[in-house]
Amino acid sequence: DTEVTQTPKHLVMGMTNKKSLKCEQHMGHRAMYWYKQKAKKPPELMFVYSYEKLSINESVPSRFSPECPNSSLLNLHLHALQPEDSALYLCASSQDLQSFTSGNTIYFGEGSWLTVV
Amino acid sequence: QKEVEQDPGPLSVPEGAIVSLNCTYSNSAFQYFMWYRQYSRKGPELLMYTYSSGNKEDGRFTAQVDKSSKYISLFIRDSQPSDSATYLCAMKAAGNKLTFGGGTRVLVKP
C-alpha cells in the first residue's frame, strides 16, 4: 500500500471556485512533488519542494498554488481553473533530491481526480 | 524527438506468457532507471529500480539496463490477469527529476 495519502480522491469544481488538494506522507521524506496526468499520458511534473521550500516550478500557471506547511504535508490550492485542467493530480515523495543514495526513489499517492466544469 | 520512447501498445498476451517491455532513451546523463505499474484510475506503483547496466530480478520481474545501447527492458514471467495495467518506464539524471516514457498498456488474457 502506498504511504502517500491524497485527499480528496475525487473533486468537481466550477471555474470560479477555490479548492485545495491535500497530500500527506509519514516516511520522513524531505522532498515532495506535484504531478499532473492526463488520460493515456505519463505524469508531468508541476512542482517540487525540498525541505519545505519550493525548488522547482515547471512554469505552471498561477491558478495553481502549492504550499508545504511542514515536512509531511503538501497542498495544492486551485483557483479559477479551466476545463482543460481536468486531470489526475498526483502527489509523490522521496528521501530528498539527491540521486546518489540507493533507494532514493519517488513514491506516488493514489491521486486526486479533478473535474472542472 | 522525445527523450524517452516507449511503445504504447496495447500488448496482449495469454496468461502464463512472458511479457516483454522496453524503452529507449537519448540522454546519456540518465543514470537511474525505474519501472512503474499503473492500474486504471490509480497512482503509479514502483516495481523496479536499477542503477547500473545489467540485470536485476525481483520475483517474477526482471529489469535489464544496457547503457551502451540506451535501452532498458522489463520482463514479467508467468503473467497473470492481475498484471494487466499500464507500465511506465522512468529515468533520471542529476537531481530527482523523473523523465517518463509514454507507457505501455498490457492486457493479460485468462
Side-chain angles (χ1 to χ4, degrees):
Chain A
D1 289 343
T2 180
E3 296 183 65
V4 177
T5 304
Q6 291 187 241
T7 55
K9 288 190 173 8
H10 300 275
L11 177 63
V12 179
M13 61 184 290
M15 288 188 283
T16 59
N17 291 161
K18 284 185 180 180
K19 297 285 185 183
S20 297
L21 305 180
K22 297 185 183 303
C23 175
E24 188 169 7
Q25 58 86 15
H26 293 290
M27 294 180 279
H29 289 173
R30 303 311 299 268
M32 296 186 75
Y33 311 75
W34 280 114
Y35 283 81
K36 173 183 176 179
Q37 187 176 24
K38 302 282 276 185
K40 299 188 189 305
K41 298 289 186 183
E44 297 176 8
L45 183 64
M46 299 175 72
F47 303 103
V48 181
Y49 273 82
S50 176
Y51 290 85
E52 294 122 68
K53 292 197 183 326
L54 184 63
S55 177
I56 296 175
N57 176 342
E58 291 286 314
S59 303
V60 178
S62 60
R63 57 186 185 268
F64 295 92
S65 175
E67 178 196 19
C68 190
N70 60 54
S71 60
S72 300
L73 294 174
L74 185 66
N75 299 322
L76 186 63
H77 302 299
L78 314 170
H79 175 53
L81 295 192
Q82 303 298 310
E84 58 265 29
D85 296 321
S86 298
L88 177 66
Y89 288 84
L90 294 162
C91 175
S93 71
S94 67
Q95 278 183 314
D96 50 42
L97 293 187
Q98 298 304 313
S99 294
F100 306 108
T101 56
S102 62
N104 191 16
T105 47
I106 297 175
Y107 296 92
F108 287 86
E110 292 290 314
S112 292
W113 281 95
L114 174 67
T115 303
V116 182
V117 296
Chain B
Q1 184 186 2
K2 295 178 183 176
E3 278 192 291
V4 181
E5 298 279 358
Q6 185 177 6
D7 189 323
L11 178 62
S12 183
V13 301
E15 183 176 355
I18 294 175
V19 175
S20 175
L21 303 165
N22 57 75
C23 290
T24 59
Y25 62 95
S26 57
N27 188 346
S28 300
F30 288 140
Q31 301 178 49
Y32 301 85
F33 306 91
M34 286 132 284
W35 286 96
Y36 287 87
R37 176 176 63 195
Q38 187 171 25
Y39 291 114
S40 180
R41 303 185 70 82
K42 298 287 188 182
E45 172 192 5
L46 180 68
L47 286 177
M48 299 288 282
Y49 174 91
T50 53
Y51 169 62
S52 57
S53 283
N55 292 1
K56 180 178 181 180
E57 192 172 314
D58 184 2
R60 296 186 297 114
F61 300 94
T62 299
Q64 285 186 349
V65 174
D66 183 347
K67 288 186 178 179
S68 62
S69 300
K70 297 190 181 66
Y71 187 91
I72 68 170
S73 301
L74 178 71
F75 300 96
I76 308 173
R77 290 182 298 280
D78 188 24
S79 59
Q80 305 295 311
S82 58
D83 295 323
S84 298
T86 295
Y87 291 79
L88 295 154
C89 66
M91 43 200 80
K92 58 183 179 178
N96 224 23
K97 184 176 176 181
L98 289 178
T99 300
F100 284 93
T104 300
R105 194 159 66 91
V106 172
L107 179 61
V108 180
K109 295 184 176 180

